[in-house]
Amino acid sequence: MAKLVLSFQGRVIEDFPLDKERVTIGRAANNDICIENLAVSGRHAAVETFQNDSFLVDLGSTNGTLVNGNPVTRHALRSGDYITIGKHSLTYHGAVRAAEAEEDVEKTIAIRPSMQRSEPAPAPKMGYLQVQNGGSAGREMVLSKPMTKLGKAGFQVAAISRRQQDYYLEHIEGQDGRTPKINGEAIGMQARKLNHGDTIEIANTRLGFELRPA
């Protein structure tokens, strides 16, 4: 079953299974997911689920709804999508479709044994950040959560989301519209995939990104 994971400032608050056709999100107490924050409209958004497909719908909210840093009115959700509502975030985890699982099994069976030996599955990797400047230089952080927020509230905030083996940096908020940088280049409003060896700049802090065997 698909679910939404509600977080605030990098801390997971609660999981919400998408166990009915329409799940509403908003500040009003009668919503399925109630977020008590003035930046959230009374009836802010909804997730509509049909079989194994889920769609996020903005309900004419005052401050809008973002998916992976982009404003949306209606969006077909994919596993790992990062939803921003006010100052809170929701990560979508989709259900595994039975047909897709069977198809994967069939593809695995169809591969010749010689190919299986010559093309082993890539080893799982974990993302790490290392502070490169300031008083915390040398400090390391393991990116083991689905989403990790970085920066300073009210000045500049970004998030790194983990989507299977890949990591993405996305802008959350920043003074004067400033966005984080990767290797000296501002990322803008689009989520950007991180590569081993990248240097991230957020809230005047430089961070080195590494991928290591898990």
Side-chain angles (χ1 to χ4, degrees), residues 107-126:
K107 288 179 180 177
T108 302
I109 294 172
I111 296 174
R112 295 192 303 273
S114 60
M115 291 180 64
Q116 291 180 333
R117 288 194 296 271
S118 62
E119 297 181 9
K125 293 185 177 181
M126 183 72 70

Side-chain angles (χ1 to χ4, degrees), residues 27-52:
R27 193 172 74 250
N30 61 347
N31 284 286
D32 299 298
I33 301 176
C34 179
I35 304 176
E36 296 181 359
N37 188 286
L38 292 177
V40 180
S41 297
R43 301 285 278 187
H44 196 106
V47 174
E48 299 173 347
T49 300
F50 307 95
Q51 295 183 348
N52 287 311

Side-chain angles (χ1 to χ4, degrees), residues 145-211:
K145 298 178 181 179
M147 185 272 297
T148 302
K149 279 194 175 181
L150 304 166
K152 184 184 298 183
F155 176 56
Q156 193 176 48
V157 179
I160 294 179
S161 57
R162 184 182 183 187
R163 307 178 193 175
Q164 297 180 346
Q165 292 294 308
D166 296 325
Y167 290 83
Y168 289 80
L169 176 69
E170 48 201 297
H171 171 72
I172 302 298
E173 64 173 291
Q175 288 183 348
D176 304 321
R178 287 179 293 181
T179 63
K181 296 180 180 179
I182 297 177
N183 302 327
E185 179 184 351
I187 67 170
M189 300 304 294
Q190 292 281 0
R192 287 274 298 275
K193 182 180 176 180
L194 291 168
N195 297 306
H196 178 78
D198 280 346
T199 298
I200 301 166
E201 295 178 50
I202 170 73
N204 296 327
T205 300
R206 289 196 312 275
L207 303 157
F209 174 77
E210 295 183 5
L211 283 171

